């Protein structure tokens, strides 16, 4: 069985990843499934996170990475599993940690990953956060340098100059061209993180 294509959208919060994912899901040429880290946590692990928040005291400072890192590993393992089953997956997450991104690289090694940089300016990210109202203002700016510390992409799309449907079409055109998906392999060889 052929492995499913993984379209990996790398961008900060509010950069436009979910809007592009929606356009990729709405087209009829290539069937995709969407795996968003936000939906993964809010959906599948909602009860678990609710349990942690209501059971564990707030007055003892402990890094939440203790529980978040294994859940992120499950997220990327799910992406790998879906690809192994021949399913095409659009991955929508924020890569803001060396450890998590290297886990992702190791898990997805050997799978066809189209690595897409989803960019726009810090000023536009702040405007989008203000319009959305469901994000802390400055979250995307705080992620900016870490997320875009990666300079190896198969393609890049700027959501400030392109509408989501145009970004999706750009991605689809690259897939149709049978271009090589090499960025993830190069990153893997260098064990490159996002510090």
């Amino acid at each position: 069985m052929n492995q499913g294509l993984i379209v990996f959208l790398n961008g900060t919060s509010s950069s436009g990843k979910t809007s592009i994912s929606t356009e990729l899901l709405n087209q009829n040429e290539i069937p995709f499934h969407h795996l968003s880290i936000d939906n993964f946590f809010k959906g599948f692990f909602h009860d678990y996170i609710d349990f942690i928040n209501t059971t564990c005291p707030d007055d003892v400072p402990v890094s939440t990475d203790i529980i978040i890192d294994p859940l992120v590993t499950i997220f990327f393992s799910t992406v790998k599993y879906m690809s192994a089953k021949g399913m095409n997956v659009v991955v929508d997450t924020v890569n803001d940690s060396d450890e998590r991104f290297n886990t992702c690289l190791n898990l997805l090694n050997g799978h066809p990953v189209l690595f897409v940089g989803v960019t726009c300016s810090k000023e536009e990210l702040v405007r989008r956060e203000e319009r959305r109202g469901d994000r802390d203002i400055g979250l995307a700016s705080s992620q900016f340098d870490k997320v875009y510390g990666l300079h190896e992409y198969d393609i890049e799309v700027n959501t400030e100059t392109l509408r989501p449907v145009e970004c999706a079409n750009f991605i689809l055109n690259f897939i149709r061209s049978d271009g090589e998906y090499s960025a993830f392999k190069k990153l893997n060889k260098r064990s490159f993180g996002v510090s």
Side-chain angles (χ1 to χ4, degrees):
M1 175 183 286
N2 290 334
Q3 294 175 327
L5 172 62
I6 300 166
V7 176
F8 197 116
L9 304 176
N10 184 60
T12 64
S13 172
S14 300
S15 62
K17 299 182 304 294
T18 302
S19 297
I20 295 169
S21 299
T22 300
E23 294 297 337
L24 288 171
L25 293 175
N26 287 339
Q27 55 79 37
N28 297 316
E29 183 180 349
I30 302 171
F32 281 107
H33 298 272
H34 179 221
L35 224 58
S36 159
I37 195 75
D38 287 344
N39 292 342
F40 205 72
F41 278 91
K42 291 176 186 168
F44 301 122
F45 293 105
H46 177 268
D47 291 343
Y48 172 70
I49 292 169
D50 197 39
F51 162 77
I52 292 296
N53 289 337
T54 57
T55 306
C56 300
D58 278 343
D59 57 343
V60 180
V62 176
S63 172
T64 57
D65 289 348
I66 293 171
I67 58 172
I68 298 298
D69 286 345
L71 295 179
V72 170
T73 300
I74 292 171
F75 174 78
F76 288 123
S77 296
T78 304
V79 172
K80 178 179 181 174
Y81 180 76
M82 292 174 79
S83 172
K85 297 283 270 182
M87 302 167 72
N88 301 316
V89 186
V90 179
V91 177
D92 175 352
T93 188
V94 175
N95 295 302
D96 59 356
S97 157
D98 281 343
E99 183 177 345
R100 293 176 196 154
F101 191 66
N102 284 329
T103 296
C104 165
L105 285 174
N106 291 333
L107 281 168
L108 300 183
N109 182 27
H111 287 260
V113 178
L114 174 60
F115 198 42
V116 181
V118 180
T119 64
C120 67
S121 68
K122 285 184 180 181
E123 295 77 21
E124 177 61 19
L125 290 169
V126 170
R127 281 192 288 276
R128 291 178 186 179
E129 287 172 333
E130 289 170 348
R131 279 197 311 263
R132 288 178 68 154
D134 64 348
R135 294 286 191 271
D136 293 334
I137 306 301
L139 173 64
S141 291
S142 72
Q143 299 168 339
F144 197 90
D145 291 335
K146 288 182 181 179
V147 171
Y148 299 123
L150 299 168
H151 302 291
E152 196 77 53
Y153 294 108
D154 294 305
I155 57 175
E156 292 185 57
V157 292
N158 185 320
T159 60
E160 206 166 351
T161 58
L162 297 173
R163 294 177 294 126
V165 68
E166 293 171 318
C167 294
N169 284 333
F170 190 72
I171 292 166
L172 291 168
N173 285 335
F174 185 86
I175 295 169
R176 286 186 204 107
S177 75
D178 290 328
E180 185 183 1
Y181 311 141
S182 60
F184 235 58
K185 294 172 191 168
K186 291 175 185 174
L187 287 168
N188 210 7
K189 287 177 184 170
R190 297 186 330 202
S191 296
F192 185 67
V194 287
S195 58

